[in-house]
Amino acid sequence: MQISDLPYPDPGVPDARTGPKFLLWLGRGQLGGQARSLAWGLLHFGGVAGLPYAVGLGVDAVVRRDGGGLLRVGALLLLLGIAISLGDAMLHRTAVTNWITAAARVQQLLARKTAELGSALTRRVAAGEVVAVSTGDVEKIGWFVEAVSRFLAAALTVAAICVGLLFYAPAIGVVVAVGVPVLALSVLPLLPRATRRADVQREKAGKATELASDTVAGLRVLRGIGGEELFLGRYREASQEVRRAAVRSARMWALIAAVQVLLPGALMITVVWYGAVLVTDERLAVGELVAAFSAVATMLYPLRHFQEIAMAYSFSRPSAARAARVLSLTRTGEAGPAGTGAAAPAPGGDLYDPETGVLAPAGAFTAVVCGDPDLAGRLAERLGGHPTDSAGAARSALLGGVALDELALDTARELVLVQDKDPVLLSGTLRELFDVPASGSVTPRAALEAAQCDDVLDALLQSAPDGVRDPMDARITERGRSLSGGQRQRLALARSLVTDPEVLVLDEPTSAVDSHTEARIADGIAALRSGRTTVVLASSPLLLDRADRVVLVHEGRALPAGTHRELLRGEPRYRAVVTRETDEEQRRAGIGLAGPAEELTGIEESA
């Protein structure tokens, strides 16, 4: 895999059962890159390991006054230098490629999961955690994947040095062969505590990120109520907790680094002292002592990768666990793949929610009134094919008798489009905004007209550069921040209308517009969606009066449907939600003190 080949045509199906299994799956997916990195690592570390042997031969040649041998040693040192330089450059190249490849694969998987779950993702996982996984955690996962091959190359090199010393200088080689495993394993007792401290740091950092994301998302509201200082204080306290946890974690890793400096130093002192004794007893040549000393000194370099792999795994394991948690989410809330078995229903089927009993007949404009906004949000999710119960108890809606969550995701989205109450506008031109999968029956102009976007087009054209004359070529800033809330809402509604799906579900599509504009939008939706199944979750009388039928969801169950005027006259619970009656007003209406129902209807008509 080359960096130019990224992103993958298909990142694959990850093993997201646990963090370690996810890391193993990533590693198996890059065996070719790991093998290349290992080969270049062996060349690099092998050249480093060969230096002590060449130095020993050179010392022996000088002692024997062997000029030819000294020339051969020079040639050997030249070859080793080339091997070290070439191996180091290519090892860095392949290792970075492995890191970027792993990070890109994880980001692709996260993007695919986000597209699959839609707005249901942030209902199951905090938005801040998703941000943390897709940024910092991705880097740490890639760090571990690229460190594996370098660690293996370093481990094989250390083993080769020990074996070589056993044959080259057996007397001193035994000391080195016994001491090196002690050095490599000396930090193991410290790793669990270091890992726990790193986990605490990651957890606190994730919470701080979530708090920051939520604060930024609600900054406009916080300014309106004067709550900036309150949340700034909370974030300041959270960041200080992260700092203290990071210091505690750094102290443990500093201790591990100190151990890996102290023990190799002790081994070098032991080798020099014991080697000097052997040279004095004429049991070891001077060149062999120099080679042994140089070998031990050289091993400090590859031994550093033992500490790095321990740190990389300790930091990447919780990151991989968080990524696996997000990637394990499914549309059904159950483990395993979903939405692959059922055939698409025949056109013209009714939309039915078994949880509440809400029925939207085919081709009709149905309005649903929920007194609880959270209930309305969950209903919209189920109507879009996303069960709202993680245990799978609350299933998705049925279209023509077929459960939407049993269909392939692409098929379900072609049949039913759900626009939630907080749609997002991406940056780009208005023409690009409407470049979405659509039936082609509704033009962008017709959709913009139905959504009453004339003033939005004028505003975009006024803010566009002088050369732009068509409002469709005007640019929209990120998330439509240059537009008002009502303008963003109407553009999002027009984008939903232009797709012209078989079933369109709108959750409070006119909550941010004035009553006159809302009335015209209601007429536009009814006219443009004539003969198509449309469901609007709202409590505005102006929208409800244009619907063919209205359903009230009370205490989680749908009551008998009717028109807006019929329910106003005959259903006090509906009247209480739509007209915002107080309990006292409801009691007065119940004993005949509030005037006839026709008066209420007249009030609604005048509204």
Side-chain angles (χ1 to χ4, degrees), residues 411-477:
T411 303
R413 286 187 171 168
E414 288 177 1
L415 296 172
V416 181
L417 173 66
V418 178
Q419 176 183 303
D420 61 21
K421 63 182 62 178
D422 188 23
V424 176
L425 301 179
L426 301 179
S427 60
T429 64
L430 192 58
R431 195 180 308 279
E432 293 170 341
L433 177 69
F434 285 93
D435 186 15
V436 293
S439 66
S441 301
V442 179
T443 64
R445 295 291 182 182
L448 289 166
E449 182 178 352
Q452 300 298 308
C453 292
D454 291 341
D455 64 316
V456 184
L457 299 180
D458 293 339
L460 289 174
L461 200 55
Q462 290 176 3
S463 61
D466 295 336
V468 177
R469 301 186 180 276
D470 188 347
M472 298 298 292
D473 295 325
R475 294 195 64 82
I476 301 173
T477 57

Side-chain angles (χ1 to χ4, degrees), residues 249-499:
S249 178
R251 286 173 179 170
M252 184 55 64
W253 289 111
L255 176 60
I256 292 176
V259 169
Q260 291 205 323
V261 172
L262 177 63
L263 293 183
L267 178 61
M268 290 182 62
I269 294 174
T270 302
V271 168
V272 171
W273 173 79
Y274 184 59
V277 172
L278 294 178
V279 170
T280 303
D281 295 341
E282 297 184 353
R283 295 164 54 190
L284 186 69
V286 174
E288 293 175 339
L289 174 59
V290 173
F293 174 78
S294 301
V296 175
T298 302
M299 275 195 297
L300 298 182
Y301 172 54
L303 278 174
R304 288 204 300 265
H305 292 78
F306 286 70
Q307 177 189 359
E308 182 189 8
I309 195 65
M311 292 182 64
Y313 180 73
S314 298
F315 279 89
S316 66
R317 185 178 56 81
S319 297
R322 279 197 292 266
R325 180 192 171 198
V326 175
L327 295 175
S328 64
L329 296 175
T330 62
R331 294 169 60 202
T332 62
E334 300 171 351
T340 56
D350 297 338
L351 183 65
Y352 175 71
D353 176 40
E355 181 71 11
T356 60
V358 170
L359 174 66
F365 183 0
T366 303
V368 180
V369 177
C370 298
D372 182 3
D374 292 335
L375 176 61
R378 294 193 296 271
L379 175 59
E381 282 190 43
R382 291 195 299 273
L383 293 179
H386 296 287
T388 55
D389 190 339
S390 60
R395 305 297 293 172
S396 72
L398 308 177
L399 181 61
V402 179
L404 290 172
D405 61 342
E406 294 179 358
L407 298 173
L409 181 61
D410 292 342
T411 303
R413 286 187 171 168
E414 288 177 1
L415 296 172
V416 181
L417 173 66
V418 178
Q419 176 183 303
D420 61 21
K421 63 182 62 178
D422 188 23
V424 176
L425 301 179
L426 301 179
S427 60
T429 64
L430 192 58
R431 195 180 308 279
E432 293 170 341
L433 177 69
F434 285 93
D435 186 15
V436 293
S439 66
S441 301
V442 179
T443 64
R445 295 291 182 182
L448 289 166
E449 182 178 352
Q452 300 298 308
C453 292
D454 291 341
D455 64 316
V456 184
L457 299 180
D458 293 339
L460 289 174
L461 200 55
Q462 290 176 3
S463 61
D466 295 336
V468 177
R469 301 186 180 276
D470 188 347
M472 298 298 292
D473 295 325
R475 294 195 64 82
I476 301 173
T477 57
E478 185 241 343
R479 298 182 68 90
R481 298 186 187 278
S482 60
L483 304 173
S484 67
Q487 290 173 329
R488 290 196 299 269
Q489 192 175 58
R490 282 177 282 159
L491 278 181
L493 173 60
R495 179 181 58 185
S496 299
L497 292 173
V498 82
T499 61

Side-chain angles (χ1 to χ4, degrees), residues 98-376:
N98 289 337
W99 177 71
I100 296 178
T101 301
R105 187 191 292 269
V106 176
Q107 287 180 327
Q108 277 188 265
L109 292 170
L110 292 171
R112 186 174 67 180
K113 182 59 64 175
T114 302
E116 175 187 340
L117 296 178
S119 62
L121 174 62
T122 53
R123 297 182 188 273
R124 301 185 191 181
V125 182
E129 182 172 350
V130 177
V131 173
V133 171
S134 60
T135 54
D137 287 339
V138 166
E139 294 183 4
K140 293 174 180 59
I141 292 171
W143 177 27
F144 174 74
V145 171
E146 66 94 4
V148 168
S149 55
R150 288 189 288 111
F151 163 72
L152 291 176
L156 292 175
T157 301
V158 169
I161 291 175
C162 293
V163 173
L165 281 177
L166 285 174
F167 286 95
Y168 180 71
I172 202 72
V174 173
V175 177
V176 176
V178 172
V180 167
V182 175
L183 295 181
L185 301 177
S186 60
V187 298
L188 289 183
L190 301 176
L191 285 179
R193 179 175 296 182
T195 302
R196 286 194 299 269
R197 292 190 179 184
D199 291 346
V200 171
Q201 178 192 354
R202 293 293 168 220
E203 181 181 358
K204 292 184 179 297
K207 291 181 178 179
T209 303
E210 292 177 21
L211 179 59
S213 300
D214 295 341
T215 302
V216 171
L219 188 57
R220 180 174 298 179
V221 177
L222 291 176
R223 287 177 176 172
I225 62 176
E228 304 102 313
E229 290 299 325
L230 174 62
F231 277 81
L232 180 60
R234 291 182 180 177
Y235 180 73
R236 185 181 294 112
E237 181 180 351
S239 63
Q240 289 300 316
E241 291 182 1
V242 174
R243 183 189 63 80
R244 288 190 289 268
V247 170
R248 285 174 52 83
S249 178
R251 286 173 179 170
M252 184 55 64
W253 289 111
L255 176 60
I256 292 176
V259 169
Q260 291 205 323
V261 172
L262 177 63
L263 293 183
L267 178 61
M268 290 182 62
I269 294 174
T270 302
V271 168
V272 171
W273 173 79
Y274 184 59
V277 172
L278 294 178
V279 170
T280 303
D281 295 341
E282 297 184 353
R283 295 164 54 190
L284 186 69
V286 174
E288 293 175 339
L289 174 59
V290 173
F293 174 78
S294 301
V296 175
T298 302
M299 275 195 297
L300 298 182
Y301 172 54
L303 278 174
R304 288 204 300 265
H305 292 78
F306 286 70
Q307 177 189 359
E308 182 189 8
I309 195 65
M311 292 182 64
Y313 180 73
S314 298
F315 279 89
S316 66
R317 185 178 56 81
S319 297
R322 279 197 292 266
R325 180 192 171 198
V326 175
L327 295 175
S328 64
L329 296 175
T330 62
R331 294 169 60 202
T332 62
E334 300 171 351
T340 56
D350 297 338
L351 183 65
Y352 175 71
D353 176 40
E355 181 71 11
T356 60
V358 170
L359 174 66
F365 183 0
T366 303
V368 180
V369 177
C370 298
D372 182 3
D374 292 335
L375 176 61

